[in-house]
Amino acid sequence: MSEENIQIFMGDFMKNAGIAGMYYMLGASEAVRGVDYGISDDQQSLWISRQYALQADWTDLYFQGFVSLLSTSTVYQGVLERIDDVISRIDQEQWKGDKEGKEQLKFINEKLLSNSYQNGFANIKDRISDPEVYEKLKKEKLNEKMEPEELKKRMIEIRSFLEQPLCKETFVMKSLAYNYINRFWSDKCFLLRSNAKKDMKEVFEADFSAPLKAYWGKEHEKSKELCIECGSAMDPKEKVSIAFMKDAGDDLTRKQSAFWNCKVDAYLCPVCAFLYALSPLGFQLLGNRFLFINNNYDLKALLDSNSKDSKFGMESERKEDEKLPSWFSRMMNMLLEGKEQSFYNIQVVLKSTDDKEHYLFQVINKEIIRQLRDDNVKNILRTLGKHPFYRLDGEMVNVYEEAVFNILQYNNQYDLVNCLLRESLNTSAASTEIPAYLTYHIELRCRKIRSEGEEGKYMKIEKLADEGNKLRQELTKNYSEEMKSDVLRGVTYQLLNALALNNSQKFFDIAVRMYSSTQLPTPSGFVDMLKDPEQFQAGGYAFVLGLRGSYSWKGQKEEKKEERS
């Protein structure tokens, strides 16, 4: 810390998420970028004016930052949307109090009268206007049997009540505390059970903001305790246990055996503790997961990757009726739209919203980014993302997500293609041939990218699809269109079994028997498949796709034509 500025340097992913959250929080406030805060010249740290840091209301900044940046993804916003919808339907004389309307009113009643909202109301009722509106809701819940005009009047009153700044701040923070923030940290401040009925701002001030300002306003030349994150010196009374962060440490008062000589030293300074408390603001909420791109090449790259102001950030708000695998497709879009100079390893950190899984880490290296940014791969993924869900073995599977995860985790797509093709053998699920075809082409294209200069062998593989299609036409030429799929269903199933087990002998036995019943020559590509196990899988699935009539050469030629143009 210099006389003029306080420097906060980048660290682990949680601290980096906190730094990003700090930057976005300050950007949403009246703080002036370049005067009160900014990025250092070497882009390795965030600086804050010392004068501003010691005068700022950090509790208010924290609350307003979360409210302004995340309110649209909360229950509070869902209540307002339902209120507006009910009013609109009444105005258009379309309100019928039907099942949908009943569900909307039930949602409003239950969410506004939840224990957390009632505790929040109890803390602010003496500082807001028209508290009787909420008291009335507690006594007389909304129901579909009310007269439309009476219901509309109640709705307008509730909306006006909720839109008061203090009501909005309180209810939004209550929503975020128990559905967002508590996925990252808990058992402290307003997330400590004994503090549930206390004023959220008061406990946050006592636990985080006051220690932060006191730490910045004090010299620590003689302090002997060191922060486990940044290494800064601190006094014993200033240290904060890291145990409040989820998946970061155990209960340090009970489990001390992991430390040398059972002496616990996993403590944070007040600055890092505040940053860790801010870490949820650095993550994006995408669908049913939280995402943080720990692009620690420099601070500017980190902030750009997770920006709340970018197209990626603005489109990442969760929609309740959203069927597209939004969190993943948008992450991919953000990665794929980056500039060429950002081709370096990127760490992606994921956290589930259901609190059932720990942090998931995935390093996306240059090779994977190159594959994902390929125009053909992007186009196929975009098509696959439009209808990503299919029922496989009785369960709904997000094929888009599975395909991308295979790329990220260096797995091939063959198991997924096999499952999709097996499912397509059921007449009721024939549509799974489409994602099978698309997923196979993702695999083929990625292999071409990884093996530059070997285009010839992949041309032979693709030709096997033509051979499979010719065989299909020959074997089914005397059958009606309705019967053609049935004729080859059994043999296709056997071929898929052979491919799943990587049993080349069984595959070729079946294939050769089919050719022996026709005048067609056995494909020369089978010889290459015998020589190379990788060729066997790639060529085998191309052949089966052709045999199923699923391999579209027209689509391929149009893609190549666009690529050349």
Side-chain angles (χ1 to χ4, degrees):
M1 183 169 65
S2 67
E3 293 235 1
E4 295 182 356
N5 296 328
I6 297 168
Q7 298 279 348
I8 301 176
F9 291 91
M10 298 171 68
D12 64 12
F13 80 92
M14 283 190 292
K15 185 179 181 182
N16 288 348
I19 292 173
M22 174 80 80
Y23 187 86
Y24 304 143
M25 178 187 74
L26 292 172
S29 71
E30 295 181 356
V32 181
R33 186 170 59 189
V35 177
D36 298 321
Y37 71 101
I39 301 173
S40 63
D41 292 338
D42 62 2
Q43 298 186 15
Q44 295 301 307
S45 65
L46 173 70
W47 62 262
I48 303 173
S49 163
R50 190 171 188 275
Q51 181 181 2
Y52 176 84
L54 295 176
Q55 294 178 352
D57 184 340
W58 289 99
T59 296
D60 191 61
L61 286 171
Y62 185 93
F63 277 64
Q64 288 304 313
F66 273 86
V67 170
S68 62
L69 295 171
L70 297 176
S71 62
T72 55
S73 60
T74 62
V75 165
Y76 172 88
Q77 182 65 28
V79 169
L80 289 182
E81 289 173 358
R82 284 164 175 78
I83 288 174
D84 289 339
D85 184 63
V86 171
I87 292 174
S88 176
R89 289 170 65 181
I90 292 174
D91 287 341
Q92 298 173 20
E93 298 183 353
Q94 295 178 353
W95 175 256
K96 300 177 182 178
D98 52 9
K99 182 179 179 181
E100 181 182 355
K102 186 177 180 180
E103 288 296 321
Q104 287 180 313
L105 297 183
K106 180 181 178 183
F107 183 92
I108 295 170
N109 287 327
E110 289 183 353
K111 300 306 179 183
L112 290 183
L113 297 177
S114 64
N115 290 335
S116 61
Y117 271 40
Q118 291 197 49
N119 290 335
F121 171 75
N123 289 317
I124 65 171
K125 63 181 181 181
D126 297 330
R127 292 177 284 157
I128 56 175
S129 301
D130 305 317
E132 62 274 5
V133 173
Y134 191 82
E135 297 286 3
K136 184 177 181 180
L137 181 65
K138 291 165 67 175
K139 296 177 182 178
E140 302 175 26
K141 294 182 181 180
L142 304 169
N143 67 79
E144 71 281 3
K145 296 179 181 179
M146 297 172 65
E147 290 295 324
E149 287 305 314
E150 180 189 358
L151 180 59
K152 177 182 175 181
K153 181 182 177 182
R154 290 282 303 277
M155 289 293 193
I156 292 174
E157 289 175 347
I158 294 172
R159 184 177 62 184
S160 179
F161 168 80
L162 292 173
E163 288 176 342
Q164 295 179 76
L166 188 53
C167 284
K168 178 178 180 179
E169 178 187 276
T170 301
F171 293 143
V172 167
M173 283 303 294
K174 284 293 184 181
S175 294
L176 291 173
Y178 296 105
N179 294 289
Y180 196 114
I181 298 174
N182 72 340
R183 300 300 185 258
F184 298 88
W185 58 269
S186 62
D187 298 328
K188 186 178 177 68
C189 191
F190 48 71
L191 288 175
L192 185 63
R193 187 180 295 274
S194 59
N195 290 337
K197 294 184 178 181
K198 295 180 181 179
D199 186 283
M200 295 178 74
K201 278 192 165 182
E202 288 182 4
V203 294
F204 189 86
E205 178 73 22
D207 285 353
F208 289 108
S209 300
L212 175 72
K213 292 178 73 171
Y215 182 81
W216 275 335
K218 182 181 177 182
E219 296 293 334
H220 292 86
E221 294 179 357
K222 298 182 180 180
S223 301
K224 297 181 180 180
E225 301 283 350
L226 297 179
C227 174
I228 194 173
E229 171 56 48
C230 68
S232 298
M234 57 184 173
D235 293 333
K237 292 183 179 180
E238 293 176 319
K239 62 185 185 181
V240 181
S241 171
I242 198 174
F244 78 99
M245 293 301 298
K246 288 193 171 182
D247 301 331
D250 295 317
D251 185 346
L252 304 186
T253 61
R254 298 180 182 179
K255 300 179 181 179
Q256 302 178 357
S257 58
F259 298 89
W260 172 253
N261 205 25
C262 292
K263 184 179 180 180
V264 178
D265 59 358
Y267 293 103
L268 302 170
C269 67
V271 178
C272 289
F274 190 90
L275 290 172
Y276 275 32
L278 262 175
S279 61
L281 197 58
F283 279 72
Q284 303 277 2
L285 176 58
L286 305 178
N288 63 347
R289 299 208 183 191
F290 298 102
L291 164 74
F292 181 66
I293 310 294
N294 193 21
N295 196 344
N296 55 7
Y297 178 75
D298 59 49
L299 186 53
K300 187 176 184 304
L302 179 83
L303 295 170
D304 289 344
S305 297
N306 300 282
S307 175
K308 301 287 190 292
D309 297 324
S310 66
K311 180 181 178 182
F312 170 68
M314 289 186 290
E315 291 182 352
S316 68
E317 305 298 348
R318 184 179 183 181
K319 300 175 178 61
E320 293 183 13
D321 59 346
E322 193 167 33
K323 296 181 180 179
L324 188 72
S326 59
W327 74 269
F328 213 86
S329 64
R330 289 175 185 170
M331 181 187 78
M332 287 299 105
N333 289 339
M334 185 280 299
L335 289 173
L336 305 185
E337 289 172 3
K339 297 179 181 179
E340 290 296 320
Q341 55 262 38
S342 64
F343 266 43
Y344 43 80
N345 294 353
I346 297 174
Q347 183 189 44
V348 177
V349 185
L350 302 171
K351 191 93 164 67
S352 174
T353 56
D354 62 13
D355 204 28
K356 291 181 180 179
E357 65 181 29
H358 302 297
Y359 287 103
L360 299 177
F361 301 92
Q362 178 67 52
V363 175
I364 304 179
N365 65 24
K366 298 177 184 179
E367 186 64 35
I368 289 176
I369 293 175
R370 197 158 66 92
Q371 293 172 36
L372 291 171
R373 286 184 178 171
D374 177 76
D375 287 339
N376 284 333
V377 174
K378 283 197 292 185
N379 289 336
I380 296 171
L381 285 174
R382 192 177 296 115
T383 302
L384 196 58
K386 292 177 180 177
H387 302 285
F389 292 101
Y390 293 87
R391 188 173 295 280
L392 303 179
D393 293 330
E395 295 183 6
M396 293 302 294
V397 175
N398 186 329
V399 176
Y400 173 93
E401 185 175 313
E402 291 292 326
V404 178
F405 261 127
N406 283 336
I407 297 175
L408 295 178
Q409 297 175 349
Y410 307 94
N411 296 329
N412 62 50
Q413 306 286 353
Y414 297 137
D415 286 345
L416 181 57
V417 174
N418 197 295
C419 289
L420 290 164
L421 285 174
R422 282 171 183 273
E423 196 67 29
S424 73
L425 297 178
N426 298 323
T427 308
S428 60
S431 61
T432 56
E433 284 188 8
I434 298 172
Y437 163 78
L438 294 172
T439 307
Y440 174 78
H441 273 289
I442 291 174
E443 174 65 21
L444 203 61
R445 183 61 185 172
C446 287
R447 287 184 178 276
K448 287 181 180 179
I449 295 169
R450 293 195 298 268
S451 57
E452 293 177 352
E454 298 183 20
E455 291 289 323
K457 74 175 184 178
Y458 289 103
M459 290 179 66
K460 292 180 180 179
I461 289 173
E462 290 176 330
K463 192 173 180 181
L464 281 167
D466 257 356
E467 299 289 354
N469 193 38
K470 290 177 183 177
L471 180 61
R472 174 179 179 273
Q473 293 175 4
E474 180 66 22
L475 292 172
T476 61
K477 62 184 179 182
N478 296 322
Y479 294 90
S480 64
E481 288 297 323
E482 292 76 13
M483 291 291 294
K484 285 183 178 180
S485 294
D486 294 333
V487 172
L488 297 175
R489 182 174 286 115
V491 73
T492 302
Y493 187 80
Q494 294 178 54
L495 289 171
L496 289 174
N497 280 342
L499 287 168
L501 298 172
N502 206 25
N503 189 335
S504 58
Q505 182 177 347
K506 182 178 179 181
F507 180 92
F508 291 122
D509 283 347
I510 298 167
V512 170
R513 282 204 305 270
M514 285 193 292
Y515 274 101
S516 65
S517 64
T518 69
Q519 299 299 315
L520 296 175
T522 304
S524 59
F526 281 0
V527 177
D528 296 316
M529 289 171 61
L530 278 168
K531 294 178 180 177
D532 187 346
E534 181 183 319
Q535 291 275 79
F536 169 66
Q537 289 283 314
Y541 282 107
F543 181 77
V544 172
L545 282 165
L547 193 64
R548 292 289 296 166
S550 308
Y551 204 103
S552 170
W553 276 101
K554 182 179 179 182
Q556 280 290 95
K557 291 176 181 177
E558 287 176 352
E559 283 182 12
K560 291 178 180 178
K561 184 178 179 182
E562 288 180 7
E563 189 176 0
R564 286 196 299 271
S565 63

